[in-house]
Amino acid sequence: MEEVSGLEWVEENKLWAIEDESSILYNLDPETGKILKKKKFAKNKDIEDLLVTDKVAWVLQSNGTLYEVTSPLSKNPKTTEHHFPVKKKRDIEAIVASKTEPYLYIICKACKWDVGPEQASIFKFDLTTKSYDSIPFTALKREDMQPLLKTKRAEPLKIQPSAAAWHPIENLIYILSSSGKWLCITDTDFTPKKVYRLDPRLFKQPEGITFDQKGNMYISNEAQDGNANILKFSYNHP
């Protein structure tokens, strides 16, 4: 695998992944990264992020289309498409589920209605009605994130998220960006709490993030002048 664009920890010991352009769902060995099983769920598309809820895999395409894959990795998975409500130019790469309400949150990377790299709109997808809201729920904004940086690097943050995941212990949302190399931690309403620059020597092209039940973090890097990898960061309890 060269372009691991999305990761999801499933149940107690399963690590699932998707690869950009292939529309294949992979089950990986969480210790070695070896492919244990794989299954195609759609024709090849620009696939960007993955989450699993109630045994259903939700896969995000860069245009905002959501693929609802039931019985994923079985012999006969069923795929249903749900289309994004806004037809303007868009690039969307991150998805995360609410833990308290039947919603998915879909986060823009570069959408025409946002103010360049200064903000990223967030849309709700209702799991009950299987439909998007037509207007943004909220937005990540540079003006809220930049003051939280504790670094001498003063260049403006590019608010172009590439992945998101819910921390199972902290109940906070972690949002990752390959553009500008940063990690933002927010509350459940997407209010930024902490922002960190990522070392580009370690994070060549960070495109996927997930957590296991113990709070350990996994980040995937697509291959860029080297090999693709998945990095594990052990959780240190406060």
Side-chain angles (χ1 to χ4, degrees):
M1 298 175 69
E2 295 295 317
E3 297 182 281
V4 183
S5 57
L7 287 175
E8 179 79 337
W9 192 270
V10 183
E11 300 171 357
E12 293 186 6
N13 58 356
K14 295 179 181 178
L15 182 62
W16 289 7
I18 51 169
E19 187 174 29
D20 195 3
E21 305 294 346
S22 70
S23 297
I24 295 174
L25 184 61
Y26 296 88
N27 180 17
L28 305 179
D29 185 313
E31 296 298 327
T32 66
K34 180 181 178 181
I35 298 172
L36 302 177
K37 193 173 184 179
K38 62 181 181 179
K39 191 70 178 180
K40 198 170 185 68
F41 60 87
K43 293 182 179 180
N44 289 356
K45 302 290 184 181
D46 186 8
I47 300 300
E48 297 294 351
D49 208 358
L50 163 72
L51 66 82
V52 179
T53 179
D54 295 329
K55 298 183 179 180
V56 175
W58 293 88
V59 186
L60 177 66
Q61 188 178 342
S62 60
N63 66 0
T65 296
L66 277 173
Y67 294 87
E68 177 187 3
V69 188
T70 57
S71 301
L73 291 176
S74 70
K75 184 177 180 180
N76 296 303
K78 178 184 177 183
T79 301
T80 304
E81 296 184 20
H82 304 279
H83 298 285
F84 195 71
V86 184
K87 301 305 179 184
K88 295 180 181 178
K89 187 176 180 180
R90 58 208 181 271
D91 184 7
I92 305 172
E93 293 196 359
I95 180 173
V96 66
S98 170
K99 296 300 182 182
T100 57
E101 298 178 280
Y103 295 129
L104 307 181
Y105 295 103
I106 286 75
I107 308 172
C108 280
K109 178 183 179 181
C111 294
K112 188 174 179 63
W113 51 90
D114 286 324
V115 189
E118 296 178 20
Q119 72 172 41
S121 295
I122 301 172
F123 286 79
K124 276 185 180 180
F125 181 86
D126 191 317
L127 289 170
T128 303
T129 62
K130 303 289 181 68
S131 63
Y132 271 105
D133 285 356
S134 59
I135 59 174
F137 164 70
T138 187
L140 287 174
K141 297 181 180 180
R142 179 192 289 165
E143 63 189 52
D144 298 326
M145 295 169 57
Q146 193 80 31
L148 298 175
L149 270 178
K150 296 179 180 180
T151 175
K152 294 180 181 179
R153 292 173 59 188
E155 63 266 28
L157 286 168
K158 293 181 180 179
I159 313 305
Q160 296 178 329
S162 55
W166 193 289
H167 196 291
I169 297 172
E170 298 176 352
N171 284 324
L172 296 172
I173 300 169
Y174 280 57
I175 301 172
L176 182 71
S177 178
S178 182
S179 299
K181 305 290 192 299
W182 53 259
L183 178 69
C184 178
I185 303 173
T186 79
D187 65 14
T188 56
D189 293 321
F190 293 95
T191 300
K193 298 298 182 183
K194 296 179 181 180
V195 182
Y196 301 95
R197 294 275 190 189
L198 300 177
D199 187 341
R201 294 170 296 180
L202 183 61
F203 300 94
K204 299 293 186 180
Q205 190 174 342
E207 296 284 350
I209 183 171
T210 191
F211 294 91
D212 64 25
Q213 294 178 343
K214 295 180 181 179
N216 301 314
M217 181 171 65
Y218 300 76
I219 292 178
S220 64
N221 286 280
E222 294 188 6
Q224 188 182 65
D225 300 325
N227 296 319
N229 61 42
I230 298 174
L231 305 175
K232 178 181 177 180
F233 299 88
S234 298
Y235 181 61
N236 294 318
H237 291 264

